[in-house]
Amino acid sequence: MSRFDVFWNPVAPVAPVAFGFLLDLLFGDPHWLPHPVRWIGRLISLLEAGMRRLFPQGKKGEQAGGILTTLLTLAVSTGIAYAVVALARWVHPAIGLAVETLICYQMLAARALQKESMRVFDALNAGNLTDARYAVSWIVGRDTGTLDFDGVAKAAVETVAENASDGVVAPLFYLLLGGVPLGVCYKAVNTLDSMIGYKNDRYLWFGQSAAHLDDLFNLVPSRLCALMMIATARLCGLDGKSAYCTWRRDRRNHASPNSAQTEAACAGALGVQLAGDAWYGGRLVRKPMIGDSLRPVEPEDIQRANRLMYAASAAALFLFGASRMLFSLFLGGMV
């Protein structure tokens, strides 16, 4: 084994993820670039239409169709990702690295999350509530037509806090755990949940398996992301001690086992209260509060939440990447 191999073997699994993270910070998500998540979304739509024709309406039929949709989506997405990377590596290692870097870049959404949430900030800062409601409607699932200035700001902070895990830390975790195929598998699970994982009349049974699988896949990353937020809060000029205390107290204040993890850490770091009742599809959903109402949520909290998201993401990349390299070193580059 050459000296280069001794150095490169531990670094090889980490390099495309680190390069992809850097590309996301620099360029975000150009809409002109073909994106795997959009292809996964089209696949889910096709499979849903086919399964609804194949299986009868009703609980058992819709559950069966949903399970098959979920399994086929994961199999096709992960299989294609594995084949593309394997083919690129076979052509040339440099091409393999380039392809892996591009896919890793497309699995991450830190810059896009900042960009979309800052549109809300800009509208609030300009005093334009109509534009602020419209901007926040693109990044939240709740009804936004009746939100006031504080409500819009709070909704934007919440989505930055929650998506810090779903859009950045969790993809980093799975990319560094199992490479591009596992990273794409995670995004497929995430996309399934965002498209069919709703508890409404259409998807209550059909999307049940996708919603449960998304909860399972996010169980570890959401908690790690919350801990990264707590660890980096002071670096962002925020309250690390309050972030920890609020996380310990309120991390289960959500119907999802994962969503309140990062919201609680972020609320504590900012010293504000998040969550609470919200309207979805014209129906009021009662939800517990997260954090303490020490002051009203303000537009600047969107900026602070983004700084915390970036700091936690960078810390996660360092921690996960270092762990992956250590495993590779200890196992002789076999991992």
Side-chain angles (χ1 to χ4, degrees):
M1 181 179 291
S2 69
R3 290 182 179 179
F4 175 79
D5 290 333
V6 171
F7 168 77
W8 179 248
N9 282 344
V11 176
V14 178
V17 184
F19 292 152
F21 184 78
L22 180 60
L23 288 175
D24 180 57
L25 294 185
L26 292 174
F27 303 112
D29 181 18
H31 292 295
W32 57 265
L33 191 67
H35 203 293
V37 173
R38 287 196 286 270
W39 298 339
I40 292 170
R42 294 190 190 106
L43 174 63
I44 293 168
S45 296
L46 289 172
L47 287 172
E48 179 188 351
M51 295 304 161
R52 288 190 182 278
R53 288 194 296 268
L54 183 63
F55 290 94
Q57 290 185 350
K59 179 179 177 179
K60 291 185 177 179
E62 291 179 25
Q63 282 179 325
I67 290 171
L68 200 52
T69 296
T70 298
L71 292 176
L72 286 173
T73 299
L74 299 186
V76 171
S77 303
T78 308
I80 290 176
Y82 179 87
V84 167
V85 170
L87 178 61
R89 287 177 177 174
W90 177 79
V91 173
H92 195 277
I95 295 176
L97 176 60
V99 169
E100 287 185 82
T101 296
L102 176 62
I103 298 175
C104 289
Y105 160 44
Q106 294 180 308
M107 295 298 102
L108 301 170
R111 181 67 181 275
L113 181 58
Q114 181 207 23
K115 182 179 177 181
E116 295 301 323
S117 61
M118 286 305 293
R119 286 180 179 171
V120 181
F121 169 81
D122 291 339
L124 289 173
N125 215 31
N128 193 326
L129 182 58
T130 301
D131 284 355
R133 287 170 174 169
Y134 178 75
V136 83
S137 71
W138 285 90
I139 57 175
V140 300
R142 74 191 65 180
D143 299 343
T144 62
T146 59
L147 293 178
D148 59 13
F149 279 93
D150 290 350
V152 170
K154 186 174 80 166
V157 170
E158 288 172 8
T159 200
V160 171
E162 184 176 351
N163 285 288
S165 178
D166 293 357
V168 193
V169 172
L172 286 173
F173 177 80
Y174 285 108
L175 285 166
L176 286 163
L177 182 66
V180 164
L182 190 56
V184 171
C185 180
Y186 170 76
K187 292 304 289 186
V189 170
N190 204 235
T191 307
L192 279 160
D193 181 63
S194 68
M195 290 182 65
I196 66 173
Y198 297 103
K199 292 182 178 179
N200 55 25
D201 293 340
R202 180 175 176 82
Y203 291 117
L204 179 62
W205 304 120
F206 191 90
Q208 188 180 57
S209 59
H212 289 332
L213 192 61
D214 184 74
D215 286 343
L216 180 62
F217 264 70
N218 283 297
L219 204 63
V220 173
S222 64
R223 285 151 179 80
L224 290 174
C225 185
L227 293 174
M228 294 300 102
M229 285 182 164
I230 293 165
T232 59
R234 187 177 294 273
L235 296 176
C236 300
L238 303 175
D239 193 336
K241 182 178 179 181
S242 177
Y244 175 73
C245 293
T246 305
W247 172 72
R248 284 292 304 272
R249 187 192 68 196
D250 295 344
R251 68 188 188 273
R252 297 186 181 89
N253 285 6
H254 201 284
S256 161
N258 305 314
S259 295
Q261 299 287 332
T262 49
E263 284 190 40
C266 185
L270 295 173
V272 299
Q273 193 169 67
L274 301 177
D277 299 347
W279 291 85
Y280 293 86
R283 182 170 57 185
L284 179 63
V285 177
R286 302 285 183 183
K287 295 193 287 186
M289 307 300 292
I290 295 173
D292 298 307
S293 185
L294 304 179
R295 60 174 179 82
V297 181
E298 59 187 13
E300 287 74 17
D301 287 318
I302 301 172
Q303 294 177 309
R304 297 176 187 123
N306 275 301
R307 286 203 302 271
L308 186 60
M309 178 269 293
Y310 273 123
S313 301
L317 176 62
F318 177 80
L319 177 66
F320 302 160
S323 300
R324 179 63 193 258
M325 286 192 286
L326 285 173
F327 275 118
S328 295
L329 282 170
F330 284 137
L331 298 180
M334 298 298 291
V335 177

